[in-house]
Amino acid sequence: MSHSITTIGVCGGGGTMGAGIAIVAARAGFKTISYDRSPDSLASARKQTSQFFDKSVERGKMKPELRDEALARLTITSDIAELGACDLVIEAVFEELGVKHALLKQLDEVCPDHTIYASNTSTLSITEIASGSKRPHNVVGMHFCLPAQLMKLVEMSAGILTSPETFKTAWALTEQLGQIPVETRDDPGFILNALLVPFNNDAIRAVEAGVAEAGDIDKAIKVGLGYKMGPLELIDLIGLDTQIRLCEAFYGVTLDPRASAPPLLRRMVAAGLTGRKSGRGFFNYGSNAMFGA
Amino acid sequence: MQENPTNSNPANTNPANTHSIPYAVLGTSRISFPDNDPFHASATLATEAEIMVYLGYPHLEDHSKRAILVELDTECLGELTGEHLGEEGSNILGFARYRNGTDDPSPLVELVKQKNSRPEAIAAAIALFEAAGLQVAVCNDHLGRIIDRLVRPKYNAALRFLDEGRATQKDLDLTCKLGLGYPDGPVERVVRGGLVHHYHITTVLFEGTGASGYAPARRAIVAAKRERN
Ligand SMILES: NC(=O)c1ccc[n+]([C@@H]2O[C@H](COP(=O)([O-])OP(=O)(O)OC[C@H]3O[C@@H](n4cnc5c(N)ncnc54)[C@H](O)[C@@H]3O)[C@@H](O)[C@H]2O)c1
């Protein structure tokens, strides 16, 4: 039987994705409980959330009274027992199967039988994550994009044991959140990362093979195809170390040569050139340039 | 490593006498400049030209010209100039205005150089195309140049995902538009440009590199066979 969803939990609410997802849920009118094992991260996410809503009001995107209501609907906690009140919990904790399994085990103890567990994983299998719960039929993939509070896309996927009811309810909820769901399968990288990670590697290999300089490669892609950002600029933003982690996750399960980390990528990370955050990757950003600055 | 993500080739910073380089156009373009393109209107006679632009036409060597620009399709520049143990290069450069099959040509020109290409020829070619309102990305003489080398494996993957039921065409394309800000999705784009066109390009790339990512997608093979029958 389907339960209507009134209360949403976010696990990892102090993290990059969790904080954004909590904003989406509270903004859409749901009572939102943001849980993280790090109280400091939660407190700083709460502050950023408040600033984000203030900006939305300043820019005329949100009425002041709606900001106040949204903030009042969003509570933070480091006590997992509070998630017992949730009809749906979205997890955005560290991207490690063991961490996600341990979390689901705890959730099984505190959440009622009907609670849906949605995973925001980018690289892990929904079916494998679900195997950590006694209720794998309640587990569904709900992959938001960064920054979640601004990006509308959510890739939704069912694991082998996900019940059609769970998928349907989660899909309807995603629409209620004001997001745009697309349906994909529980395949590595879903759609977005399955296309993007090898494409970005190909761009690195083009630099490595001396096809052209990084600036010319990005220029060609932007001018020729109308992309907003060139692939090498995007890798600098994602972080070259993160790109290696993505490669390892996908190549390990697909053995697709395009998904394997190019040697140049490893050399650059070894040299400390991890992209914007280090001031240098495929391009130089000066010592402390911020994205968009 | 480069100073910022928007700069291009060093030659860009020193365009020689942008508007005034007389150029002649010979032949009929397969890709870059259809007959009604304004690029033809400003061309001059071959005898007065400092740059010769050959469109689908066998080019002539002429060391007195600042640059000889030869339009390329899927071939390498070396096929036209001959190659000399990695030391090739002269005032002859290759170019192609990027075009997604039957779509209108884009504002991008891929300019192909060789190791010993003359820097003055590169600078003159960039100045010529920029004066025509185009933007230039310089690359070495590799199969697929920049764009086809990078996008064709992605189109193959998207077509395979469609075959395998990973998602519908609509959701595959929507995901790329919403998630990555692309103006169009990979499936709609490759189909609009022509699956047969995709087949021809990927066949050349696959034969030349042996890389599995270039092996033509099943849907492209089907389209090519249907055209033959
Ligand atoms: N960052 C991205 O671009 C992005 C995009 C889409 C999806 N994702 C996915 O979202 C998830 C989170 O990624 P992130 O970048 O936000 O990570 P992050 O490191 O910024 O945040 C993770 C948060 O989870 C908390 N946490 C870890 N283990 C916990 C546990 N057992 N219980 C409670 N809290 C715990 C941490 O304290 C931290 O605040 C991952 O699955 C990732 O694959 C990330």
Side-chain angles (χ1 to χ4, degrees), chain A residues 193-210:
Chain A
N193 281 313
L195 290 174
L196 187 65
V197 172
F199 175 69
N200 286 347
N201 282 344
D202 287 346
I204 298 170
R205 287 198 180 88
V207 176
E208 198 166 29

Side-chain angles (χ1 to χ4, degrees), chain A residues 11-18 35-38 41 91-95 99-100 103 106 120-123 143-146:
Chain A
C11 294
T16 312
M17 291 305 293
Y35 160 75
D36 200 293
R37 65 182 180 191
S38 157
S41 306
E91 76 74 18
V93 298
F94 297 143
E95 187 73 335
V99 174
K100 301 213 191 257
L103 177 76
Q106 286 178 292
N120 186 47
T121 182
S122 301
T123 63
H143 182 238
F144 289 74
C145 296
L146 179 73

Side-chain angles (χ1 to χ4, degrees), chain B residues 101-184:
Chain B
T102 49
D103 279 0
D104 287 342
S106 77
L108 178 81
V109 173
E110 291 173 307
L111 184 67
V112 180
K113 66 181 174 64
Q114 293 164 321
K115 186 182 168 207
N116 295 325
S117 292
R118 281 195 213 154
E120 318 83 75
I122 298 172
I126 291 171
L128 172 72
F129 289 128
E130 287 185 346
L134 302 169
Q135 295 194 51
V136 180
V138 179
C139 61
N140 289 309
D141 193 17
H142 289 256
L143 279 172
R145 297 179 290 271
I146 299 173
I147 297 202
D148 281 333
R149 178 187 174 104
L150 296 184
V151 293
R152 295 295 159 185
K154 179 154 72 175
Y155 296 161
N156 276 339
L159 291 169
R160 180 165 51 81
F161 291 169
L162 185 61
D163 276 358
E164 293 172 354
R166 188 179 284 234
T168 62
Q169 172 266 323
K170 192 173 138 287
D171 278 355
L172 282 165
D173 287 335
L174 186 63
T175 299
C176 292
K177 285 188 275 193
L178 289 179
L180 300 168
Y182 293 175
D184 45 17

